[in-house]
């Protein structure tokens, strides 16, 4: 059997055709790949150039920022070395010359607003960086769940106090009505308080201001500048003594105002004295230094700026302060409700935890055992009253006025609860009063002594603060019992020097809180005992010894 084969030529042509087609297809695909490679290389080159441009821009920004940061310490007057402690010392020395710097700052318990640093000069930026570094966490602490839980716990305790008061009244009197007899008594005679405050306010607004206007108008042209200054100062001092010193005391004693009304008058008296002094202290040196041109009057602050200062929550006068753009009325309402809530909270603490222990029917003869038990029983209401007074006044009340007046600097306190030293506690507990004592007490004392006697300057500030605190308590309660003075001027001074800023261990924070607990317990215990002793063992004569001797030492009241 034979097989038919194609001719040799045809077979050879058929074999070459697939080979040529395969070769041509291979060459074509190779050309496509080369074209794709060239396009990819072009694209990669473009990406490379773009990436290099972006990297160059970023490096330029980084270098500019690095240069700015490297220059900033020198503009802040930081010595070589640029250590944090050195920078702080330099900034403090700068503040000694320039005074307090006000800026847009929020309280630690309030939501922080973003600070526009473009409106600040270099000194203010340095102030912001170094003065607030320990309180940099200016965020709303209520947004932290742990802090919010503690806040809710305090509200729950307030509700428990209300329910317990209702239950006791229902059991004893068969009624379910909350009565606030003690609260109404404490804030009695408010009409007298209003007109007394009006007199003090009108005097503080007009008399110191126009005394400054009179003195400033003639100071640079009067033949004897010393005679003019001394004469004006003596007349103003006499008026200050009569209206802001004697008048409030007379109103309180003559009208027998109840305790809360007394405290309103006396604390406003102290506030007006501090405000008027700051106004004169800040404006007089400027008038003396700046001699006006011939035919022109010296530059004197406007009455409107002084009026604003009398209500804004600071004791350091400036012609202008950083202001917020608008008023948050929701915040105003919430803050006012919180203030009223703290007031009722303190009322329930006194009614439920203090009055039942110290009222006459529960009186026990004095002994070491009863005194120790009474002090430790008073620790809980004492520390709660301390925290509530801090939150109600230093946070709610001052922030309320700050918001209404669009006052932007809300650093009324710092994180005093984290203090490991009493020196830091005294600086951070009440920044508003501390600033006044620092600039017009401590700093002026050093200026008069030419930088010497720093310890004496610190002691003088402590003594002044202790005397004013004791004066307010004595006039508010209506009796003299120097518990606050002893704790402040004796133990406070000792703790200030022994527990200083070198103490950084957390154990010292425990010690500080333990001392606060015991101190508040002692104050609540002794003042409550003296309150009832003054009622049930009245004075038999008005001698000086009888006035200054605590009645609870000798009184044995029992119903």
């Amino acid at each position: 059997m034979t097989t038919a084969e194609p001719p040799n030529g045809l077979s050879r042509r058929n074999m070459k055709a697939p080979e040529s087609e395969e070769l041509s297809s291979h060459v074509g695909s190779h050309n496509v790949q080369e074209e794709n490679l060239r396009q990819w290389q072009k694209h990669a080159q473009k990406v490379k150039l773009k990436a290099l441009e972006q990297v160059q821009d970023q490096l330029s920004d980084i270098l500019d920022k690095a240069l700015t940061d490297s220059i900033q310490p020198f503009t802040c007057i930081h010595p070589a070395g640029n250590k944090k402690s050195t920078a702080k010392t330099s900034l403090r020395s700068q503040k000694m010359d320039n005074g307090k710097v006000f800026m847009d700052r929020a309280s630690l318990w309030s939501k922080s607003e973003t600070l526009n640093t473009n409106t600040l000069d270099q000194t203010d930026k340095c102030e912001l960086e170094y003065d607030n570094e320990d309180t940099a966490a200016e965020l709303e602490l209520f947004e932290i769940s742990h802090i919010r839980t503690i806040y809710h716990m305090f509200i729950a305790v307030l509700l428990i106090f209300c329910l317990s008061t209702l239950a006791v009244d229902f059991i004893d009197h068969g009624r379910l009505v909350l009565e606030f007899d003690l609260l109404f008594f404490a804030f009695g005679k408010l009409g007298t308080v209003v007109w007394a405050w009006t007199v003090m306010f009108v005097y503080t607004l007009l008399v110191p201001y126009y005394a400054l206007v009179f003195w400033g108008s003639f100071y640079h042209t009067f033949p004897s500048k010393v005679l003019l200054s001394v004469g004006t100062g003596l007349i103003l001092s006499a008026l200050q003594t009569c209206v802001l010193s004697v008048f409030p005391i007379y109103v309180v004693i003559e009208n027998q105002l109840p305790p809360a009304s007394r405290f309103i008058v006396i604390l406003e008296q102290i506030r007006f004295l501090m405000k008027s002094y700051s106004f004169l202290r800040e404006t007089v040196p400027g008038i003396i230094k700046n001699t006006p041109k011939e035919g022109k009057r010296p530059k004197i602050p406007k009455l409107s700026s002084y009026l604003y200062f009398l209500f804004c929550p600071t004791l350091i006068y400036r012609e202008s302060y950083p202001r917020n753009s608008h008023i948050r009325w929701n915040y105003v309402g919430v803050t006012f409700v919180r203030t009223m809530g703290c007031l009722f909270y303190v009322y329930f603490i006194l009614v439920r935890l203090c009055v039942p222990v110290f009222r006459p029917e529960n009186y026990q003869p004095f002994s070491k055992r009863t005194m120790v038990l009474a002090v430790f029983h008073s620790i809980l209401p004492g520390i709660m009253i301390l925290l509530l007074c801090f939150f109600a006044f230093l946070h709610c009340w001052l922030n309320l006025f700050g918001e209404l007046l669009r006052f932007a600097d809300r650093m009324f306190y710092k994180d005093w609860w984290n203090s490991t030293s009493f020196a830091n506690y005294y600086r951070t507990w009440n920044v508003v009063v501390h600033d006044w004592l620092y600039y017009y007490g401590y700093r002026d004392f050093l200026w008069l002594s030419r930088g010497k006697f720093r310890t004496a300057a610190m002691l003088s500030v402590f003594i002044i603060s202790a005397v004013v605190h004791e004066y307010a308590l004595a006039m508010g309660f209506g009796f003299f019992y120097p518990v606050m003075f002893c704790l402040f001027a004796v133990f406070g001074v000792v703790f200030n020097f022994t527990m200083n800023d070198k103490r950084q261990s957390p154990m010292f924070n425990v010690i500080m809180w333990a001392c606060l607990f015991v101190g508040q317990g002692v104050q609540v215990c002794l003042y409550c005992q003296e309150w009832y002793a003054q009622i049930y063992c009245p004075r038999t004569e008005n001698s000086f010894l009888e006035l200054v001797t605590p009645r609870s030492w000798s009184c044995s009241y029992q119903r």
Side-chain angles (χ1 to χ4, degrees), residues 354-370:
C354 295
V355 172
V357 176
F358 296 102
R359 58 187 175 190
E361 51 264 32
N362 293 328
Y363 171 79
Q364 295 181 4
F366 176 81
S367 66
K368 295 180 180 179
R369 179 180 180 276
T370 57

Side-chain angles (χ1 to χ4, degrees), residues 215-232:
W215 172 82
S217 300
F218 294 97
Y219 177 78
H220 294 283
T221 58
F222 202 77
S224 177
K225 297 180 179 179
V226 175
L227 180 62
L228 175 66
S229 301
V230 172
T232 306

Side-chain angles (χ1 to χ4, degrees), residues 186-202:
F187 285 93
K189 300 183 179 180
L190 284 180
T192 303
V193 174
V194 171
W195 74 260
W197 181 89
T198 303
V199 171
M200 292 190 294
F201 168 73
V202 172

